[in-house]
């Protein structure tokens, strides 16, 4: 099953935004796996940690200073969010304060338990994306360097699904790492215990990261669609990311902090959103000068990740931003 886009407002009709549609908040930049297609495999991440409650509480308070409600608060960025012992409370606080229409997360699912499942649902999580690494315990060790009882892992996801309430449970796997037979096994296992599942293709969206022993698919995008190419990154016009320590990156893929545009302890998020560092980056994008931005020039997300194409409105948007 291919993942489809939600009913989204056409960006050309609403940009520039006074409130981002999406903010990624990183509960934990650390991870309990070392997947071969991820920067964690190479141990290059200099700043890792669990987001303290004080940082999260301040982030939520600042999000409420935007003129409008977020469409999505994404409690996920560069690590395994369930490593944060306050993760359930993070959902509850955001839900209670009404910061976003939806709250979602992405997890490898290895830390799910029946107890945690109930807590996530009661807290009000709207969507959980579960990244499956393999279809056997051995593959988890081979691909991610982790120890997983695969039978129990599946049981925990099944329990989550059957008690999900209004939460959407979506499951995905990297299909380029497994055989066609194993892909069918994935579908047979997870289709009955999810609201949707996807077999994705390898996409190296992590800047300055190699993929050990993995051949990148150059023929189709991550969801099997034709490769596209956009010059202007759409993401920096409707989203940004709060790192675990309060630094703010213009991009949700900025794991090694090459495009930090502010810090919540120095300036509130609603000011950072329209401040010079991120606006200068947007202007450079709209001038179609992405090739001179190291972290952005070879980004696979902008050709294999189904990016929204706003190239055709670049000139008009540049005029709006500058006036």
């Amino acid at each position: 099953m291919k993942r489809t886009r939600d009913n989204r407002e056409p960006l050309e009709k609403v940009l520039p935004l006074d409130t981002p549609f999406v903010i990624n908040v990183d509960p934990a930049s650390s991870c309990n796996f070392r997947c071969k297609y991820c920067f964690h495999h190479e141990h290059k991440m200099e700043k890792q940690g669990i987001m303290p409650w004080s940082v999260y509480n301040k982030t939520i308070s600042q999000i409420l200073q935007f003129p409008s409600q977020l469409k999505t608060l994404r409690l996920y960025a560069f690590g395994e969010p369930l490593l944060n012992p306050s993760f359930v409370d993070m959902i509850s606080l955001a839900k209670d304060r009404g910061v976003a229409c939806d709250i979602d997360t992405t997890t490898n699912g290895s830390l799910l338990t029946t107890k945690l499942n109930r807590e996530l649902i009661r807290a009000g999580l709207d969507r959980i994306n579960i990244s499956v690494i393999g279809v056997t315990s051995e593959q988890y060790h081979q691909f991610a360097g982790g120890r997983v009882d695969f039978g129990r892992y599946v049981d925990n996801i099944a329990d989550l699904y059957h008690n999900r309430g209004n939460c959407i449970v979506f499951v995905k796997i990297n299909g380029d790492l497994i055989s066609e037979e194993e892909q069918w096994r994935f579908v047979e296992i997870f289709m009955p215990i999810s609201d949707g599942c996807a077999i994705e293709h390898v996409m190296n969206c992590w800047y300055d990261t190699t993929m050990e022993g993995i051949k990148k698919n150059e023929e189709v995008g991550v969801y099997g669609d034709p490769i596209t190419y956009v010059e202007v990154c759409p993401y920096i016009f409707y989203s940004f990311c709060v790192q675990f320590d309060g630094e703010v990156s213009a991009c949700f893929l900025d794991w090694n902090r090459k495009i930090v545009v502010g810090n919540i302890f120095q300036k509130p998020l609603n000011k950072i959103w329209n401040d010079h560092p991120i606006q200068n980056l947007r202007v450079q994008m709209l001038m179609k000068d992405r090739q001179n931005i190291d972290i952005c020039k070879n980004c696979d997300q902008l050709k294999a990740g189904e990016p929204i194409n706003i190239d055709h409105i670049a000139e008009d948007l540049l005029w709006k931003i500058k006036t």
Side-chain angles (χ1 to χ4, degrees):
M1 180 184 296
K2 178 182 172 294
R3 189 178 73 172
T4 58
R5 285 205 178 108
D6 301 325
N7 293 324
R8 299 177 181 176
E9 298 178 73
L11 284 179
E12 59 264 30
K13 294 184 178 181
V14 296
L15 294 179
L17 299 172
D18 58 10
T19 303
F21 285 162
V22 180
I23 294 182
N24 286 71
V25 175
D26 196 15
S29 61
S30 306
C31 191
N32 56 334
F33 286 165
R34 295 291 180 267
C35 299
K36 292 184 177 181
Y37 45 81
C38 178
F39 53 85
H40 280 292
H41 178 69
E42 299 178 340
H43 302 280
K44 287 183 176 181
M45 197 174 194
E46 293 182 3
K47 292 185 179 181
Q48 292 189 47
I50 304 298
M51 178 174 279
W53 185 255
S54 58
V55 176
Y56 182 71
N57 191 45
K58 191 174 188 69
T59 299
I60 294 299
S61 296
Q62 290 188 8
I63 290 175
L64 289 168
Q65 295 173 14
F66 281 104
S68 305
Q69 186 185 44
L70 298 183
K71 292 186 179 298
T72 302
L73 175 65
R74 188 147 289 152
L75 294 178
Y76 164 75
F78 308 113
E80 171 48 54
L82 299 185
L83 286 173
N84 191 316
S86 300
F87 186 72
V88 171
D89 293 332
M90 296 171 84
I91 299 169
S92 295
L93 179 67
K95 208 68 175 177
D96 291 345
R97 302 193 69 181
V99 300
C101 297
D102 294 298
I103 300 173
D104 70 25
T105 193
T106 296
T107 171
N108 60 43
S110 64
L111 300 177
L112 291 174
T113 63
T114 55
K115 179 177 181 293
L116 180 55
N117 291 345
R118 304 301 186 279
E119 292 174 345
L120 293 171
I121 300 306
R122 280 197 298 267
L125 187 63
D126 293 293
R127 179 180 175 117
I128 183 167
N129 303 302
I130 301 173
S131 297
V132 174
I133 312 301
V135 292
T136 65
S137 298
E138 292 73 24
Q139 285 185 340
Y140 268 80
H141 183 62
Q142 177 186 354
F143 299 148
R147 298 290 183 184
V148 170
D149 181 328
F150 188 70
R152 182 176 298 174
Y153 175 83
V154 172
D155 288 343
N156 284 329
I157 294 175
D159 175 80
L160 175 65
Y161 173 72
H162 292 305
N163 295 279
R164 70 194 184 284
N166 295 321
C167 181
I168 296 171
V169 178
F170 189 87
V171 184
K172 57 183 180 174
I173 195 170
N174 191 326
D176 292 336
L177 298 180
I178 58 177
S179 68
E180 185 174 346
E181 180 180 349
E182 289 164 339
Q183 291 179 25
W184 279 110
R185 174 169 163 76
F186 165 78
V187 172
E188 290 171 354
I189 293 171
F190 291 103
M191 182 70 80
I193 56 172
S194 69
D195 293 298
C197 60
I199 298 173
E200 299 180 347
H201 293 281
V202 170
M203 175 181 69
N204 188 4
C205 57
W206 305 115
Y207 170 80
D208 196 28
T209 301
T210 58
M211 296 187 295
E212 181 183 312
I214 300 173
K215 183 179 180 181
K216 185 172 65 173
N217 191 306
E218 298 284 1
E219 298 176 359
V220 295
V222 67
Y223 306 119
D225 286 16
I227 292 288
T228 59
Y229 183 86
V230 301
E231 292 184 87
V232 179
C233 172
Y235 302 103
I236 60 173
F237 293 91
Y238 68 82
S239 67
F240 63 169
C241 176
V242 181
Q243 305 263 3
F244 80 93
D245 56 0
E247 283 196 327
V248 181
S249 288
C251 177
F252 63 95
L253 300 173
D254 187 25
W255 67 273
N256 55 357
R257 306 195 186 205
K258 297 294 185 181
I259 44 177
V260 171
V261 293
N263 189 302
I264 65 168
F265 292 99
Q266 298 170 0
K267 190 171 290 188
L269 287 169
N270 64 334
K271 302 297 183 184
I272 295 172
W273 179 245
N274 292 302
D275 204 12
H276 293 298
I278 196 168
Q279 288 288 55
N280 291 341
L281 181 64
R282 290 168 180 155
V283 166
Q284 191 170 358
M285 279 288 178
L286 293 171
M287 294 177 68
K288 300 186 177 178
D289 191 31
R290 180 158 67 88
Q291 293 305 311
N292 286 317
I293 308 172
D294 282 343
I295 188 174
C296 305
K297 63 182 180 182
N298 296 316
C299 179
D300 273 10
Q301 183 72 30
L302 297 184
K303 63 180 181 180
E306 288 189 340
I308 299 170
N309 192 332
I310 60 170
D311 291 356
H312 60 293
I313 63 166
E315 187 174 341
D316 289 343
L317 188 53
L318 182 61
W319 181 82
K320 287 180 182 178
I321 285 178
K322 285 188 169 183
T323 56

